[in-house]
Amino acid sequence: MVHTKTTFKAFRVEEENEKFISAIKEMPFEALEEGEILIKVHYSSLNYKDALSASGNKGVTRNFPHTPGIDAVGTVVSSKSAQFNINEKVIVTSYDLGMNTNGGFAEYVKVPENWVVKLPEGLSIKEAMIIGTAGLTAGMSVLRLTETVKPTDGTIVVSGATGGVGSVSVMILKKLGYKVAAITGKETEKQYLLDLGATEVILRKDFEELQNRPLLKPLFAGAIDTVGGVILENMIKSVHPLGIVTACGNAGSIKLELTVFPFILRGVSLIGIDSQNYPMDYREQVWNKLANEWKLDNLESNATTISLAELSKKLNLMLTGNLKGRTVLKLV
């Protein structure tokens, strides 16, 4: 497959009179530099960073006009890389894609070879984007946690459980035989979380209102936190001795108000998960697990597929916390 077009469609965000406006525009192709590849994008997916970029958040994207989209999967149509050949199916997630480099909300994307993973056997192109950065982050969190904590050790608690990272974490843990307690701020989503595989659902306000003490009753063998703040504090205080807590988000707060007691008296480990710049060998390991022993049976049921024309509306819903599960953008 070699492209012969001169332009392609992209979701562009522009700054006009201190306001940010989005529209679908025709964009010209740029020449490939050494070590770059051009991918015909089949699917992208929606992430919170994409919603921030599309709203003009300068902490995510400094310069506009810009094409958001931190995820992309598709077919190589042109290559100046010895690692990737034309017609190979590939995945690109995170690094600088969609932040200050034009991203996956476009029919084509140009990227450096060291951002790219070959699509593993056992995973379809669409499934790769239902997983996306959110699922990859979930997989990284599960990998680090399960290196130490076993299903027989007790329940794993997951915060932000209706979101992209949280929902995939719940599904993977269920697949691996763990009992999962899902934390959510949405009382109406209890059945959704039970259907995903949670064995119990905890309301966020109840978890946040636990006593403000240096240590709490040990309730969980481990934890996956996606929000930060008081939720993460209480997770750390309430895991068993030698428990593992992974942290990948800070929407709740960037601050932690803790003593060292959980770490010294209980030997709790706090592991940060930075999916943006995570080492490639870990990425490949997680993608291969997601395509094989971690392969989820109900991926499609946790995803909504949209077109470019629907993208702006869905991004606004994500900003207000009203999007659940995974949303996949179809470009082919």
Side-chain angles (χ1 to χ4, degrees):
M1 182 192 296
V2 178
H3 81 91
T4 54
K5 300 169 67 176
T6 56
T7 63
F8 60 93
K9 288 185 173 62
F11 178 85
R12 297 289 283 176
V13 181
E14 299 182 349
E15 187 173 6
E16 290 182 10
N17 301 320
E18 298 183 359
K19 290 185 178 180
F20 291 89
I21 300 165
S22 61
I24 299 165
K25 299 211 165 179
E26 290 287 334
M27 297 294 295
F29 288 94
E30 297 176 358
L32 291 183
E33 304 290 334
E34 196 61 39
E36 289 184 331
I37 63 172
L38 180 68
I39 301 166
K40 181 176 175 62
V41 181
H42 292 238
Y43 291 96
S44 183
S45 67
L46 276 63
N47 299 277
Y48 192 66
K49 274 186 181 175
D50 300 323
L52 291 174
S53 176
S55 69
N57 186 301
K58 292 294 180 81
V60 176
T61 301
R62 291 186 299 273
N63 299 310
F64 294 84
H66 176 66
T67 303
I70 65 171
D71 287 347
V73 66
T75 308
V76 178
V77 293
S78 185
S79 175
K80 284 201 171 182
S81 162
Q83 297 181 46
F84 298 97
N85 300 315
I86 290 173
N87 291 332
E88 277 193 297
K89 293 180 173 61
V90 294
I91 308 167
V92 192
T93 58
S94 51
Y95 293 104
D96 192 51
L97 185 72
M99 296 179 68
N100 293 294
T101 301
N102 287 327
F105 293 172
E107 292 178 323
Y108 291 84
V109 65
K110 181 184 76 155
V111 293
E113 61 186 3
N114 58 357
W115 292 4
V116 183
V117 176
K118 292 180 182 179
L119 181 74
E121 287 186 23
L123 208 59
S124 74
I125 277 186
K126 187 174 184 181
E127 287 171 337
M129 277 301 96
I130 296 173
I131 293 168
T133 287
L136 184 64
T137 305
M140 291 168 178
S141 303
V142 170
L143 181 67
R144 299 301 301 275
L145 187 145
T146 56
E147 286 172 343
T148 303
V149 180
K150 303 294 181 277
T152 52
D153 293 338
T155 299
I156 308 300
V157 63
V158 177
S159 68
T162 61
V165 178
S167 61
V168 179
S169 295
V170 171
M171 289 191 288
I172 298 172
L173 288 166
K174 165 71 172 175
K175 172 109 179 168
L176 296 178
Y178 289 82
K179 290 182 179 178
V180 182
I183 298 174
T184 181
K186 302 168 184 172
E187 294 190 42
T188 56
E189 299 300 342
K190 181 176 180 179
Q191 191 57 53
Y192 168 73
L193 291 168
L194 294 173
D195 291 342
L196 281 186
T199 45
E200 63 175 303
V201 177
I202 302 169
L203 290 178
R204 182 175 63 207
K205 60 182 177 61
D206 295 336
F207 199 75
E208 287 177 335
E209 289 170 3
L210 294 175
Q211 289 176 293
N212 187 19
R213 294 164 52 191
L215 284 172
L216 297 169
K217 180 181 177 181
L219 299 171
F220 310 107
I224 292 176
D225 176 59
T226 70
V227 295
V230 175
I231 294 287
L232 178 55
E233 291 166 18
N234 287 343
M235 283 179 161
I236 293 167
K237 294 176 186 179
S238 57
V239 293
H240 296 172
L242 302 183
I244 304 291
V245 180
T246 68
C248 66
N250 56 36
S253 175
I254 60 170
K255 294 182 179 180
L256 280 182
E257 297 185 12
L258 287 169
T259 68
V260 296
F261 287 174
F263 307 108
I264 293 175
L265 300 182
R266 288 191 182 156
V268 172
S269 296
L270 176 62
I271 298 175
I273 303 293
D274 171 25
S275 62
Q276 184 181 344
N277 296 299
Y278 223 58
M280 182 56 79
D281 57 346
Y282 265 110
R283 287 171 182 269
E284 291 175 341
Q285 186 179 349
V286 172
W287 275 118
N288 282 314
K289 284 183 176 291
L290 289 165
N292 294 287
E293 64 261 42
W294 293 1
K295 182 72 182 284
L296 299 172
D297 301 325
N298 54 347
L299 271 175
E300 292 272 356
S301 65
N302 190 43
T304 303
T305 304
I306 64 167
S307 66
L308 272 174
E310 301 168 274
L311 182 54
S312 184
K313 180 182 176 183
K314 295 295 184 182
L315 288 169
N316 288 332
L317 286 173
M318 178 166 271
L319 275 179
T320 57
N322 291 307
L323 210 58
K324 73 177 182 183
R326 296 287 287 147
T327 302
V328 174
L329 172 65
K330 189 177 190 299
L331 288 146
V332 172

